Amino acid sequence: WWSIVTMTTVGFGDVSPKTGLGRMVGTVTMLSGILLIALPIAIIGRKFQEAYDAHMQERGFTKEKDMQKGTQRDTSLNDMGRRLRLMPLHGELGVIAKEMAAELDVLSEMQEEIVSMQNFEKEKQKEVINNFDYLLGVLLDSTERKSAARKATMAFSTGKLFKAK
């Protein structure tokens, strides 16, 4: 019972019917509620997309034209904000659209700053790796020289430096 209640987001399953028939009726009701909401939302979403495509086609933007050019429509945050400002909305909806456009501009600036910071971090990581490689090379060269010097010292001290013929 609690899994169905939680999955359908109608509660946490802490309150439940006492009988099996009650649980069955509750389950059918919850699932019917999902269908009652999900189907109209899908239809509304499709109709909105059709209306938006028609609106963009009136303005000269078409999917076919963009695909023939081999480019996708620019859907950056700046572009979405610009499109919201261009929509002829009036009243409260117009105010909300302009506020959303301003928020999208702020988000775009934040996104650019994040990209800039990521690029800076990548450059710093490359710099650290290069410095580490250099330091490791110096240590290896130093170790190899010390090892060669030790071998030479051992050879000299044991008299094996010069071979008698």
Side-chain angles (χ1 to χ4, degrees), residues 128-143:
V128 167
I129 288 170
N130 289 337
N131 289 341
F132 181 74
D133 285 345
Y134 172 76
L135 183 61
L136 192 58
V138 168
L139 287 173
L140 286 174
D141 287 345
S142 173
T143 304

Side-chain angles (χ1 to χ4, degrees), residues 20-145:
L21 181 63
R23 288 183 181 192
M24 188 174 72
V25 169
T27 301
V28 169
T29 303
M30 288 183 274
L31 295 176
S32 299
I34 288 176
L35 291 176
L36 212 61
I37 298 296
L39 289 176
I41 287 178
I43 293 168
I44 291 169
R46 184 175 51 85
K47 289 294 185 184
F48 177 80
Q49 186 64 44
E50 288 173 5
Y52 180 75
D53 288 342
H55 174 74
M56 293 307 286
Q57 192 171 14
E58 286 175 11
R59 292 186 169 237
F61 297 103
T62 62
K63 291 181 185 177
E64 293 80 22
K65 193 185 289 186
D66 289 341
M67 293 213 182
Q68 286 173 353
K69 291 179 185 176
T71 62
Q72 294 179 347
R73 284 190 277 180
D74 185 13
T75 56
S76 68
L77 294 174
N78 282 334
D79 190 51
M80 286 190 279
R82 181 183 58 79
R83 287 180 180 189
L84 275 173
R85 282 189 201 87
L86 291 175
M87 293 180 101
L89 302 173
H90 304 288
E92 187 178 342
L93 192 57
V95 171
I96 291 171
K98 294 206 185 320
E99 288 174 359
M100 187 179 284
E103 292 294 326
L104 286 170
D105 290 341
V106 171
L107 284 174
S108 177
E109 290 174 11
M110 293 170 85
Q111 189 177 39
E112 288 173 8
E113 184 65 27
I114 288 170
V115 168
S116 171
M117 293 169 81
Q118 287 173 337
N119 290 336
F120 177 77
E121 284 297 318
K122 285 179 184 176
E123 290 300 317
K124 285 297 180 183
Q125 287 174 356
K126 286 179 185 176
E127 186 179 321
V128 167
I129 288 170
N130 289 337
N131 289 341
F132 181 74
D133 285 345
Y134 172 76
L135 183 61
L136 192 58
V138 168
L139 287 173
L140 286 174
D141 287 345
S142 173
T143 304
E144 288 173 0
R145 281 190 218 134

